[in-house]
Amino acid sequence: CIPVYNSSEYLQKCISSILCQEFQDYEAIFVDDGSSDESISIISKYIKQHHNFKLIKQENLGVSAARNNGLKNATGQYIMFMDSDDYWVNDILKRLNKVLSSHKSVDILFFNIFEDIDNTFKYHHVSSEFLGENLSKKAAIEGILSNKGYRGYSVNKVFKNTCIGKNKFEESITYLEDMLFNITCVQNATKFMGIDDCLYAYRWRQTSVVNTFGPSHMTIFEALQKIDALVPGEFHDAILVKEKFTCIE
């Protein structure tokens, strides 16, 4: 599922990284969130050539609404998310499929990312406590909350469709909405696995939503409160630290 909003400058790289995959048994669902640039025309060109590409158009309702629209239309056994200004490494699907094919009981597979900062790459490495094929639910939660883990991104996780169930991204929350979604899905899951392979390129941009903290992002406190209510009490202090750091920022 790829939400799109005025991403024409980066879409070609994003789409090319999908098309170059050797593993072909997938559907790519693009949800345009009311773009006013050339994003729709770029995607439409590929829709005509690739039967597994889908384009859904909606008015500008935000990234969470776009992801929910994609979830509603997804038919696969597994769900992945991608941002339209980012891209995959060439063999991500083949490598993830190999892991999941030999670990069919895994509900959520965590993998690693690297940052593309103007073509300079910064690789994130995960602490060993979050790696392996038998992660506990506690480790899965901590891995989402911790900077030493996989963090709260939705783009570096493979979700079994059944563990998402009726869960949705909360559309009224505009910051940490993906972390909240991840924690909610963990509650529905029983089997977790983590690998350290850096398979997703997060393109760092000064003007991106996540790097421009404004008044609308004050919903971060609501997100943290909801997360606190979902996780065991032992994580309360870690969430409190995040709230305090947010106040400082």
Side-chain angles (χ1 to χ4, degrees):
C1 173
I2 307 111
V4 179
Y5 180 70
N6 289 347
S7 304
S8 58
E9 182 179 354
Y10 306 100
L11 255 178
Q12 190 67 57
K13 175 75 171 178
C14 172
I15 294 173
S16 295
S17 77
I18 298 172
L19 288 175
C20 75
Q21 299 296 317
E22 181 180 337
F23 181 85
Q24 290 289 306
D25 187 14
Y26 66 86
E27 60 178 356
I29 303 176
F30 296 85
V31 183
D32 184 78
D33 188 38
S35 294
S36 57
D37 65 357
E38 296 301 310
S39 294
I40 289 180
S41 62
I42 292 171
I43 299 167
S44 297
K45 179 176 66 175
Y46 290 97
I47 295 291
K48 297 175 183 177
Q49 303 169 21
H50 303 279
H51 71 278
N52 56 340
F53 274 39
K54 299 178 183 179
L55 172 60
I56 300 168
K57 302 174 187 177
Q58 65 177 40
E59 60 181 299
N60 183 223
L61 297 172
V63 65
S64 290
R67 285 173 176 158
N68 287 337
N69 208 342
L71 283 174
K72 184 173 63 176
N73 287 276
T75 60
Q77 181 182 2
Y78 295 98
I79 304 290
M80 295 174 66
F81 298 97
M82 187 180 193
D83 290 340
S84 57
D85 52 354
D86 296 337
Y87 57 93
W88 283 342
V89 301
N90 289 347
D91 58 351
I92 178 175
L93 295 184
K94 179 181 178 180
R95 290 163 71 174
L96 293 175
N97 181 63
K98 183 178 180 180
V99 172
L100 290 168
S101 294
S102 57
H103 299 86
K104 294 183 183 295
S105 63
V106 168
D107 295 313
I108 302 177
L109 172 62
F110 302 86
F111 59 93
N112 214 338
I113 67 167
F114 62 96
E115 295 181 31
D116 180 343
I117 308 171
D118 295 327
N119 293 317
T120 298
F121 303 128
K122 179 181 178 182
Y123 290 86
H124 173 63
H125 292 287
V126 173
S127 176
S128 60
E129 63 198 283
F130 305 118
L131 298 174
E133 57 185 76
N134 291 302
L135 294 182
S136 65
K137 183 167 290 194
K138 175 185 174 182
I141 292 170
E142 189 173 354
I144 291 169
L145 297 177
S146 172
N147 287 336
K148 295 180 181 180
Y150 301 94
R151 306 181 186 179
Y153 310 122
S154 59
V155 295
N156 64 336
K157 298 162 183 71
V158 185
F159 300 89
K160 191 174 282 184
N161 206 337
T162 51
C163 87
I164 293 179
K166 295 182 179 180
N167 291 334
K168 294 182 178 180
F169 289 86
E170 294 219 15
E171 298 177 17
S172 62
I173 294 178
T174 56
Y175 210 83
L176 291 193
E177 74 286 342
D178 44 358
M179 180 180 284
L180 174 58
F181 175 82
N182 293 336
I183 294 293
T184 305
C185 289
V186 165
Q187 304 306 318
N188 281 357
T190 56
K191 183 75 172 178
F192 311 94
M193 182 174 179
I195 59 176
D196 197 26
D197 304 47
C198 292
L199 304 175
Y200 185 98
Y202 166 69
R203 196 191 297 270
W204 197 95
R205 294 190 294 127
Q206 187 73 39
T207 56
S208 67
V209 172
V210 73
N211 293 319
T212 52
F213 195 92
S216 64
H217 290 155
M218 295 302 288
T219 55
I220 186 174
F221 295 106
E222 182 182 353
L224 288 171
Q225 288 171 4
K226 287 179 178 287
I227 291 168
D228 197 15
L230 287 169
V231 300
E234 62 194 283
F235 292 105
H236 176 72
D237 287 345
I239 293 170
L240 195 60
V241 168
K242 287 183 179 294
E243 290 179 344
K244 288 182 177 178
F245 268 110
T246 302
C247 290
I248 293 171
E249 292 175 354

